[in-house]
Amino acid sequence: MKLFNRALRMKGFDTDFAKAELARIQSIPESEYEDYISEQKKTIVTYHEIYNSFYKNLLIKRDEKDWETLPVLTKKDLQQPLEQRLSELYHLKNVHVGKTSGSSGTPFTFAKDKDAHALTWASFEDRYQWFDLDLDRSKQARFYGIPLNAIGYTKERLKDFLSNRYRFPIFNLNEKALKSIHKAFKKKKFEYINGYTSSIVLFAKYLKKHNLILKEVCPTLKACIVTSEMLFPDDRKLIEEYLNVPVINEYGASEIGLIAFQNKDNELQVDSELLLVEILDENNRTVPNGEVGRIVITSFYNKAHPFIRYDIGDMGALSRKSTPKKPILEKLQGRTNDIARLPSGKVVPGLTFYYVTKSIIQDDGNVEEFVIEQTALDTFMFIYTAQRPLSTEQQDAIKKATATYLEEGLKVDFIKVTTMDRSDRGKLKQFTSKV
């Protein structure tokens, strides 16, 4: 059954063209790849400068010879009616239209022309084949959220059917729900799992608790692809042990598509065929490979809507081993707005709290999930689900670690809840600052 590619073609996406074009780009040798990138940068900027009034209005300070003088697009720049951002010859009925999840706090609607969208899916298909997974034939177990309104729900279920995937509800992953998921793996011949990291980690914890190995009840299972949330080393180890399949890290965004995908060498390899990934400092200048900065992306082939030097909202670094044809993304640190500002003026990534607390509670097996909320400059809330409350010793250890890794004088409060409050798409935001 090849419903997935057939459905894309029926909607006007030329998948045959996309696969051939992707193969052509991949055939360009490393020695000529910088020329390919330079040409694509010039082509896409020129196109939008001529045919897109929204982008043209942003080019007031442009220097024709200096790429780094081009404006860096932010999500706020794109929070205006989509019709005002479309290029000439494109309208809402001849483009692919989508909406970002809003996990950054600034959701917006975007568009991709049909060739660009077909290329995105060709890229996904190509990467999945690295691990012998086929978008048409391989049955997917999907750990994702789903719109709860009737129209959105129906659309997602139809896409699931056409994409040969079975979606599990993840808004309330209690013991009963996790048991039901495990039973489904006994009945269905899943080849891979794809979904939000936190939900899959919770499922792996359920398996560990009951001393279960997933591949023993579902021998067809080949891999687990995690996406949309941070993958920490100990979580990877847990998933691999109790699912007993390789864990593959995927990094993407709905408005861009696949940004990077873990290769066979366990590197997060950037899609250099369709995208340019830059790492910029606070002055919008490129930092050397190995240094952390803001991840900024250019989509080479989207003519309907400009994503040129677009700040995706994440922090990371390119490996020093990167080449123009094979950039490697490392030190992926989560969103730029996931930072904590402390009374001393110190600024730290929100994920620092994750490491501080997880190192203390991971061996206990009691705490299932947790998030951190900053409620004041000096006050943080540790919200968690667990079989029993944290002991006084555990709370004191977390407070001590917070003082060691951050600074003295911070207050840490603890709240045990029955279930986590996930976003309307099922994501779990690990750190939130309300300051």
Side-chain angles (χ1 to χ4, degrees):
M1 182 169 65
K2 290 193 174 185
L3 285 178
F4 180 72
N5 272 281
R6 190 179 302 168
L8 286 174
R9 287 193 291 270
M10 287 176 64
K11 293 174 70 174
F13 302 112
D14 191 341
T15 56
D16 290 336
F17 154 77
K19 291 174 185 178
E21 181 65 6
L22 184 64
R24 181 193 69 79
I25 299 167
Q26 290 175 337
S27 71
I28 299 172
E30 181 77 56
S31 60
E32 299 174 18
Y33 217 76
E34 282 194 81
D35 292 338
Y36 163 73
I37 292 171
S38 296
E39 184 62 29
Q40 291 309 127
K41 286 161 65 175
K42 180 179 179 181
T43 299
I44 197 63
V45 170
T46 302
Y47 184 91
H48 284 296
E49 184 178 18
I50 295 171
Y51 297 108
N52 191 287
S53 58
F54 161 74
Y55 190 70
K56 186 175 182 179
N57 289 335
L58 297 174
L59 297 180
I60 299 171
K61 298 180 181 180
R62 179 184 173 190
D63 182 339
E64 190 77 35
K65 297 179 181 179
D66 188 358
W67 171 262
E68 291 199 343
T69 63
L70 292 176
V72 173
L73 284 174
T74 66
K75 294 175 188 288
K76 286 187 178 180
D77 292 328
L78 305 178
Q79 284 188 309
Q80 56 180 277
L82 179 58
E83 293 91 332
Q84 297 177 16
R85 291 179 274 125
L86 289 176
S87 302
E88 293 177 24
L89 304 179
Y90 293 100
H91 50 81
L92 296 181
K93 292 186 177 180
N94 70 352
V95 296
H96 166 75
V97 176
K99 187 175 182 179
T100 64
S101 67
S103 59
S104 64
T106 48
F108 63 89
T109 304
F110 64 90
K112 297 170 78 173
D113 68 77
K114 292 193 171 182
D115 281 347
H117 192 56
L119 279 166
T120 292
W121 279 113
S123 180
F124 271 104
E125 196 161 11
D126 176 74
R127 269 46 174 185
Y128 278 33
Q129 287 172 355
W130 289 353
F131 295 89
D132 193 29
L133 299 174
D134 188 306
L135 285 176
D136 273 317
R137 295 187 178 90
S138 298
K139 184 77 171 177
Q140 178 192 130
R142 194 166 182 82
F143 285 70
Y144 268 71
I146 191 169
L148 299 179
N149 63 82
I151 295 176
Y153 182 89
T154 302
K155 281 184 177 180
E156 288 301 315
R157 285 300 188 191
L158 177 59
K159 286 195 285 186
D160 286 342
F161 172 74
L162 295 174
S163 303
N164 195 22
R165 60 199 190 200
Y166 183 88
R167 187 182 302 243
F168 293 108
I170 62 169
F171 293 110
N172 181 13
L173 290 174
N174 56 24
E175 184 83 4
K176 182 179 178 181
L178 292 168
K179 182 178 181 179
S180 176
I181 291 172
H182 182 249
K183 282 185 177 179
F185 276 89
K186 294 179 180 179
K187 300 175 182 178
K188 299 181 183 296
K189 294 182 178 181
F190 292 118
E191 287 195 33
Y192 69 108
I193 293 170
N194 188 306
Y196 297 152
T197 309
S198 62
S199 299
I200 298 170
V201 167
L202 200 56
F203 182 45
K205 287 182 176 180
Y206 168 85
L207 296 172
K208 179 181 179 180
K209 177 182 175 182
H210 295 279
N211 196 27
L212 300 168
I213 302 297
L214 192 61
K215 192 170 174 64
E216 291 179 0
V217 299
C218 185
T220 54
L221 197 64
K222 295 178 180 177
C224 174
I225 299 172
V226 295
T227 190
S228 294
E229 299 167 336
M230 294 291 292
L231 174 64
F232 295 92
D234 53 336
D235 287 338
R236 177 193 285 274
K237 183 179 178 182
L238 176 75
I239 296 170
E240 287 183 336
E241 182 175 355
Y242 288 94
L243 274 61
N244 197 22
V245 293
V247 173
I248 303 164
N249 200 2
E250 176 185 284
Y251 175 51
S254 55
E255 65 270 36
I256 297 296
L258 184 63
I259 299 170
F261 197 76
Q262 180 183 312
N263 61 26
K264 289 283 192 176
D265 296 321
N266 293 325
E267 301 165 324
L268 203 52
Q269 184 172 329
V270 172
D271 182 349
S272 65
E273 296 96 349
L274 309 182
L275 308 173
L276 172 68
V277 170
E278 300 176 88
I279 309 296
L280 305 186
D281 63 18
E282 63 276 7
N283 297 314
N284 294 337
R285 291 287 171 177
T286 304
V287 304
N289 286 356
E291 292 188 15
V292 173
R294 292 152 45 228
I295 298 175
V296 173
I297 299 174
T298 297
S299 179
F300 287 148
Y301 291 93
N302 190 355
K303 294 181 178 178
H305 184 290
F307 282 107
I308 300 171
R309 305 198 86 206
Y310 165 62
D311 190 333
I312 195 75
D314 291 333
M315 301 285 288
L318 288 174
S319 167
R320 290 184 175 89
K321 298 190 299 181
S322 296
T323 68
K325 188 170 184 176
K326 189 181 177 182
I328 302 299
L329 189 62
E330 62 180 16
K331 300 178 184 176
L332 191 57
Q333 291 190 354
R335 309 210 70 81
T336 51
N337 61 349
D338 292 346
I339 59 172
R341 300 182 186 277
L342 305 180
S344 65
K346 188 177 180 181
V347 178
V348 299
L351 62 84
T352 304
F353 293 90
Y354 185 91
Y355 285 116
V356 167
T357 53
K358 190 147 191 168
S359 64
I360 295 164
I361 66 174
Q362 64 183 358
D363 295 329
D364 180 76
N366 173 42
V367 175
E368 296 164 339
E369 293 186 297
F370 66 87
V371 296
I372 308 292
E373 288 185 2
Q374 183 178 18
T375 56
L377 268 182
D378 65 345
T379 306
F380 297 85
M381 192 79 69
F382 182 95
I383 304 167
Y384 66 100
T385 62
Q387 301 166 48
R388 58 187 181 278
L390 287 173
S391 67
T392 302
E393 291 78 10
Q394 286 174 313
Q395 293 186 23
D396 289 344
I398 290 173
K399 291 176 182 179
K400 184 178 180 180
T402 300
T404 301
Y405 287 96
L406 300 164
E407 65 186 39
E408 297 280 352
L410 299 177
K411 302 172 188 175
V412 183
D413 298 321
F414 300 86
I415 296 180
K416 180 179 177 295
V417 296
T418 305
T419 58
M420 281 297 177
D421 181 17
R422 285 178 149 79
S423 73
D424 60 359
R425 296 292 292 181
K427 292 183 182 180
L428 186 67
K429 194 166 173 58
Q430 211 73 59
F431 175 82
T432 304
S433 176
K434 295 186 175 180
V435 177

